[in-house]
Every structure is written in C-alpha cells, then in structure tokens.
Amino acid sequence: MEIPYTKMHGLGNSYIYLNLYDIDLSEEELAPLAIKVADVNTGIGADGMILIHPTEEADVGMRIFNKDGSEGKNCGNGLRCVAKYAYENSLVHKETFTIETKAGFVTAEVHVQDGAVSTVTVDMGEPKLQRPEIPMVGEDVKVISEPFETSQGVYDVTAVSMGNPHAVFYVEDIEGAPLYELGPEITDDKRFPEGVNVEFVQVASTTELHFRVWERGSGVTQACGTGACAAAVSSVLNGYCNVGEPITVHLAGGDLIIKWDEENHVWMTGAAETVATGVYYWKQEN
Ligand SMILES: N[C@@H](CCC[C@H](N)C(=O)O)C(=O)O
C-alpha cells in the first residue's frame, strides 16, 4: 500500500504526518503503522506518527502515536506542526483556528512570513493538577515537590497534566541529569498508572529554564511541547517563576516561550518545520 506522508518537526521532535482527508486507514492499522514509519532503520525515522483528520467539532483534528505504537492524548510540538500543515495545505483558511485532540480542544494562531508559517502560538488550555487528574495513585491533592523514591535515591516530583501526564524533577545541572538512568524507570512506574513523561529542569532565572525529557512511548526526544508547558507550570507552583510572565524553555532542539496566564491558560509559542514529503511503501505482515 502506498501512503503519502509529510515529515515535520518542532524543535527536533519529529513525526510522520498523515493527512486523513485523503487517506483511509482502519483503526487496527494505526499502531503497527506508527511503529513501522517511526523506525529509523527500516521506516522513515521519527519520534512517532501524527494523523491530521477531519472533524465536525473543530477546524481540524489531530491524533498522536508514539514510537512504540501507544497513543498519546496531546502533543505540543505536533499541534504547532498540524497548524502549519493545515494552513499551508488549505485545510483551513484563517490564521486562528481550533484543533481537536484526544485531550480536548485548543486554539492555534499561525504567524505567517512570505506565505509560509514560521511560528505558531497555541492556547494549550488549563493544566490539571489534582493527583487523580494526572493520573497518579494516592490522595486527591496536588503533587508539588513531593518526595519520590527511585533506584538512584529520593527526588522531589511535581506532577502536571497538559492533557497528558508529566513528572517534573529539578536538578542543579541539566547536563548531569539522570535522564537515561531514571527516564525509563519512572515512565513505567506503577505510581503513574497510565505511564508518564519524565522531565528534568534546571532553573536559570525567573524567566529561563533548561529542560530535558524522556517521553512516554518514545524515549529521549529533542523537545516536548506539553512537557515544556508542564515545566513552566511546575516552576510557578514551586515559586521559581511567575504567573503571567513569559518563560523561555531551552530544550535540546531549541527554545519555546511558555506563559501561564492569570486566567489559568497556558500559552506556547515556537517553530514548526517541514522536512520532507514522500510516499511510504507499507508492506503489511499477514
Ligand atoms: N512530544 C510531545 C508529546 C507526545 C506524547 C507523549 N509522549 C505522551 O505519550 O503523552 C509534545 O511535544 O508534547
């Protein structure tokens, strides 16, 4: 089967984008296809697969599959790329429009230069902070700097849901963060029944954070948009940053500007880029 695709990235967090306005795939095909296209050796190579689909509820719809075929409910870098794709491919005809995700609806505004979208601002909505909303096992309270036992000792965790779960840990030196030691351990920890995206953050100032991530279902990636939002929210909750002030989050692949405003909405601004378009030749086994 020949499947037209576009590869895009947001700060190095890359996905294979399929336009379901033109392609018909069954539900059962999606997870195996995501695993195949994401494979860097035998597929195209990416952190996962994103579907852009028609919907009656919003201007455009998005679904995200991680590299291991699991479905995430939200993807910040993916939202900016979907917004760029939708605008440049005339799926929408306005600069501000709504996108449906499995976690709900967001509003995106594309910033256009010479006819092409360079950056996108997304109103990511309200963070969820109560423990069952993450979800994380235990009492129905917020998880802010709570001691969390790991194989490498006790680290303080702050938990934030941006439609998907995030566990934020602070370190003194971002380069020395135990990403490869604790990422795979915490992402599958039973205290997070749906798994969790694991973020290490070094506070540089009230408006600047350094950030590294181990993503649920994909491992280390260059950037995580929802993770950067969670890091900013967590840093306000922990008194490192301020509500209403833009925070520059330095990720391995570049910078995002995040603001948690007085109305409890989180705003994300950053780049979105197209890498390639092509046709994937899908050899289905059985
Ligand atoms: N890279 C994404 C998040 C993708 C989904 C995540 N791994 C999950 O399973 O929740 C982003 O930019 O937010």
Side-chain angles (χ1 to χ4, degrees), residues 211-263:
F211 173 101
R212 290 173 76 192
V213 62
W214 182 284
E215 281 196 37
R216 174 177 70 169
S218 292
V220 171
T221 63
Q222 295 276 294
C224 179
T226 50
C229 294
V233 168
S234 163
S235 299
V236 171
L237 293 171
N238 281 284
Y240 299 128
C241 300
N242 302 311
V243 164
E245 248 177 45
I247 300 166
T248 302
V249 183
H250 302 294
L251 307 103
D255 292 352
L256 283 174
I257 309 296
I258 310 291
K259 187 173 75 175
W260 188 15
D261 74 13
E262 286 81 356
E263 279 77 48

Side-chain angles (χ1 to χ4, degrees), residues 18-88:
L18 304 184
N19 177 349
L20 295 198
Y21 287 71
D22 297 333
I23 311 167
D24 200 17
L25 291 166
S26 71
E27 193 60 35
E28 299 71 54
E29 289 174 307
L30 301 179
L33 180 59
I35 295 169
K36 285 281 186 189
V37 295
D39 191 299
V40 73
N41 295 307
T42 59
I44 304 162
D47 295 318
M49 177 180 88
I50 288 183
L51 307 176
I52 303 171
H53 64 86
T55 167
E56 292 191 351
E57 309 300 322
D59 292 308
V60 61
M62 170 185 112
R63 286 177 69 184
I64 174 250
F65 290 80
N66 293 310
K67 208 178 198 159
D68 67 358
S70 61
E71 185 167 10
K73 289 189 176 148
N74 203 2
C75 178
N77 293 318
L79 284 166
R80 298 197 313 283
C81 290
V82 167
K84 177 180 171 74
Y85 183 99
Y87 182 84
E88 291 180 357

Side-chain angles (χ1 to χ4, degrees), residues 173-191:
D173 165 30
I174 197 68
E175 295 310 324
L179 188 62
Y180 289 88
E181 294 81 3
L182 289 183
E185 174 181 322
I186 297 172
T187 198
D188 288 332
D189 192 291
K190 291 197 169 40
R191 285 166 281 186

